[in-house]
């Protein structure tokens, strides 16, 4: 795996890029796959909530609730 996959900002940018290309499932998988590794990063939780919101999922609030824990 490339070294930049540990940088939360790059992961978020990659997920945003995938989402804009219409690859919401790939963006979600990228964020989900890295969730445990980056769960203490605020930018990561924001990205997950935004993805859920942008894709019409009702999970955005659930993600925010989990982030608060």
């Amino acid at each position: 795996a490339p070294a930049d996959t540990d940088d939360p900002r790059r992961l978020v940018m990659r997920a945003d890029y995938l989402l804009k290309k219409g690859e919401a499932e790939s963006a979600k998988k990228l964020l989900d796959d890295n969730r445990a590794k980056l769960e203490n990063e605020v930018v990561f939780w924001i990205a997950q909530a935004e993805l859920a919101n942008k894709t019409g999922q009702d999970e955005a609030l659930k993600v925010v609730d989990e982030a608060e824990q």
Side-chain angles (χ1 to χ4, degrees), residues 1-11 34 37-38 41:
D4 67 357
T5 59
D6 287 330
D7 183 344
R9 293 166 297 179
R10 288 181 187 246
L11 282 167
N34 290 282
K37 177 171 52 174
L38 300 170
E41 300 289 341

Side-chain angles (χ1 to χ4, degrees), residues 24-25 28 48-49 51-61 63:
E25 282 302 313
K28 182 175 181 352
Q48 285 206 311
L51 175 64
N53 189 44
K54 286 179 184 176
T55 58
Q57 299 174 12
D58 293 328
E59 295 185 23
L61 290 176
V63 170

Side-chain angles (χ1 to χ4, degrees):
D4 67 357
T5 59
D6 287 330
D7 183 344
R9 293 166 297 179
R10 288 181 187 246
L11 282 167
V12 168
M13 288 179 4
R14 176 76 178 146
D16 189 51
Y17 171 74
L18 290 169
L19 184 62
K20 287 179 179 172
K21 281 182 43 177
E23 299 178 22
E25 282 302 313
S26 295
K28 182 175 181 352
K29 182 174 178 0
L30 176 67
L31 293 176
D32 288 346
D33 287 351
N34 290 282
R35 179 182 214 162
K37 177 171 52 174
L38 300 170
E39 67 186 357
N40 293 324
E41 300 289 341
V42 173
V43 67
F44 188 71
W45 287 101
I46 291 169
Q48 285 206 311
E50 287 179 349
L51 175 64
N53 189 44
K54 286 179 184 176
T55 58
Q57 299 174 12
D58 293 328
E59 295 185 23
L61 290 176
K62 180 181 171 191
V63 170
V64 172
D65 288 341
E66 289 178 21
E68 289 176 343
Q69 296 176 2

